[in-house]
Amino acid sequence: MSSANKVLIIQTAFLGDAILISSLLEKMRIESPETIIHLLVRKGNESIFQAYPHANLAQVWAYDKKQKWASWRSLQKDLRAEKFDQVFVAQRFFGMGLLSLSIGAKKVIGFDKNPLSWFFTERVTHDWGNGKHETERNTALLTSWLGSKVYKPFLSLAGDNVVPVENYICISPGSVWETKRTPVRVWIDFIKLLPASQPVVLMGAPNEVHLAEEIEKACPQNTIVNEAGKHGLVDAIRIYQHSMMSYVNDSGPMHICSAVDTPTVAVFCSTIPAFGFGPLASWNRIVEVKNLACRPCGDHGKISCPLGHYACGNQITGNQLFKSYEELLAARSK
């Protein structure tokens, strides 16, 4: 097995994509512990890796998409000075393909769907839509160097919980995309089935506070702690890490839960697990409406249902979510 002294991984997509790339950090840490790793992510996601506790990750760089080419040029200069042995570009778009080729690395390995892939040292097939998980796809970038063994994403934070309750469940009702959001009424129906004494912590980004407030207002009899919009990424990771279980949509919080190994119930509305972004926690459940001819309606979420009925979300029930709660309690009691 050959050694690479210094490598760069490029993944400047969304929050969940950045979290999942930690599986490559783990693979290198375990299989090539002498390797020094640099990571390039979208600006705003770099704080995630404060929760990666291992020293093999030497530096996290940030690409500011709001400043696009100015940020690109600055990164090109700084990354060229690092003299990388290998660059692994998980991003499949022109800008990051060009950056990977222009910083003087000895090798550039990336996916064949990148428009500049013909110039890479190694082109890797991007296998999509057949059930292969994103962590498997990303691991393929390292296969010729370290083999094909796949590791789970990993984050871990030391320290106490930041919410004043114990044995709570998290609910994250939001998503960037409307057609990935479980309808609020479903969350309300689910919470009303829970014992009144079961603490529920509501989570979400600042632009999702209204969802949490609607849920909280509708459930006055339940024990609800509304933490939506109150925390940065690091404290949010800590809250998920300490939760008894978490309910999420097909969104960033699901991947946080995978990385901290929190029992996870993931609701898939317009998207499907076969795209390769399902939960990876040791205990997990997927809730979805199967056998809809219109599902999936695209590779990503949409701002609205193309057919207007949103059956993939509206046919989810609170009872389905409550069943998974009972299943976890039964598993914990054994």
Side-chain angles (χ1 to χ4, degrees):
M1 183 181 298
S2 63
S3 172
N5 294 325
K6 192 175 187 180
V7 305
L8 172 68
I9 304 171
I10 299 177
Q11 177 50 284
T12 55
F14 291 108
L15 171 66
D17 302 282
I19 293 166
L20 292 178
I21 213 71
S22 67
S23 67
L24 299 191
L25 303 182
E26 284 293 275
K27 184 174 179 67
M28 292 185 202
R29 178 181 70 85
I30 294 166
E31 298 188 4
S32 183
E34 73 281 4
T35 296
I36 299 168
I37 307 171
H38 288 230
L39 179 61
L40 173 60
V41 297
R42 177 198 292 251
K43 185 177 180 180
N45 287 343
E46 64 268 32
S47 63
I48 295 167
F49 296 95
Q50 293 177 35
Y52 187 75
H54 300 299
N56 59 315
L57 179 59
Q59 185 164 349
V60 181
W61 303 82
Y63 171 52
D64 187 351
K65 290 200 171 184
K66 292 182 179 178
Q67 301 294 326
K68 206 163 184 178
W69 289 111
S71 180
W72 189 97
R73 288 192 296 270
S74 177
L75 283 167
Q76 182 193 38
K77 178 182 177 182
D78 292 341
L79 294 174
R80 178 178 284 274
E82 295 290 340
K83 301 186 184 304
F84 292 107
D85 294 294
Q86 298 192 79
V87 174
F88 300 95
V89 53
Q91 196 72 359
R92 302 185 304 279
F93 299 103
F94 178 87
M96 290 301 105
L98 183 61
L99 182 67
S100 68
L101 290 165
S102 67
I103 59 175
K106 295 176 183 176
K107 292 183 179 180
V108 177
I109 299 94
F111 289 117
D112 58 356
K113 288 189 178 179
N114 191 295
L116 293 176
S117 66
W118 289 106
F119 301 100
F120 293 166
T121 311
E122 182 181 341
R123 300 169 72 240
V124 175
T125 300
H126 188 262
D127 204 355
W128 172 267
N130 59 3
K132 181 173 286 189
H133 199 275
E134 179 75 352
T135 53
E136 296 179 77
R137 284 192 287 265
N138 288 336
T139 297
L141 296 172
L142 274 61
T143 295
S144 65
W145 171 36
L146 294 177
S148 60
K149 184 175 180 178
V150 178
Y151 292 80
K152 290 173 65 173
F154 179 78
L155 299 173
S156 181
L157 282 165
D160 296 332
N161 189 15
V162 297
V163 294
V165 290
E166 296 180 357
N167 294 320
Y168 59 89
I169 65 173
C170 276
I171 293 178
S172 303
S175 169
V176 173
W177 305 103
E178 290 286 343
T179 64
K180 285 187 175 184
R181 290 183 184 175
T182 305
V184 166
R185 62 168 181 78
V186 178
W187 296 121
I188 293 169
D189 290 346
F190 164 54
I191 291 172
K192 289 182 176 180
L193 292 171
L194 294 170
S197 60
Q198 171 61 64
V200 175
V201 173
L202 300 177
M203 294 292 289
N207 63 345
E208 297 167 345
V209 169
H210 66 286
L211 300 173
E213 289 177 341
E214 184 178 349
I215 293 168
E216 182 181 24
K217 185 177 179 180
C219 303
Q221 75 280 14
N222 292 93
T223 305
I224 291 180
V225 181
N226 188 350
E227 296 294 313
K230 297 179 181 179
H231 301 280
L233 273 174
V234 173
D235 276 344
I237 291 168
R238 186 173 278 110
I239 291 170
Y240 289 114
Q241 181 175 319
H242 282 274
S243 67
M244 181 180 84
M245 67 187 304
S246 288
Y247 286 79
V248 295
N249 295 309
D250 176 15
S251 59
M254 175 177 63
H255 303 304
I256 292 175
C257 293
S258 291
V260 299
D261 205 30
T262 291
T264 305
V265 180
V267 184
F268 280 75
C269 295
S270 68
T271 52
I272 58 174
F275 287 161
F277 293 94
L280 293 173
S282 300
W283 189 99
N284 71 77
R285 296 291 184 272
I286 291 171
V287 176
E288 60 184 328
V289 179
K290 296 183 178 180
N291 302 318
L292 284 176
C294 57
R295 178 176 179 265
C297 56
D299 291 351
H300 302 284
K302 297 180 180 294
I303 58 172
S304 62
C305 172
L307 300 179
H309 53 61
Y310 197 38
C312 59
N314 286 326
Q315 290 184 25
I316 300 291
T317 69
N319 281 320
Q320 288 175 282
L321 303 181
F322 184 69
K323 179 183 178 183
S324 62
Y325 172 80
E326 292 182 311
E327 289 176 354
L328 180 67
L329 291 186
R332 282 162 59 96
S333 67
K334 290 181 179 178

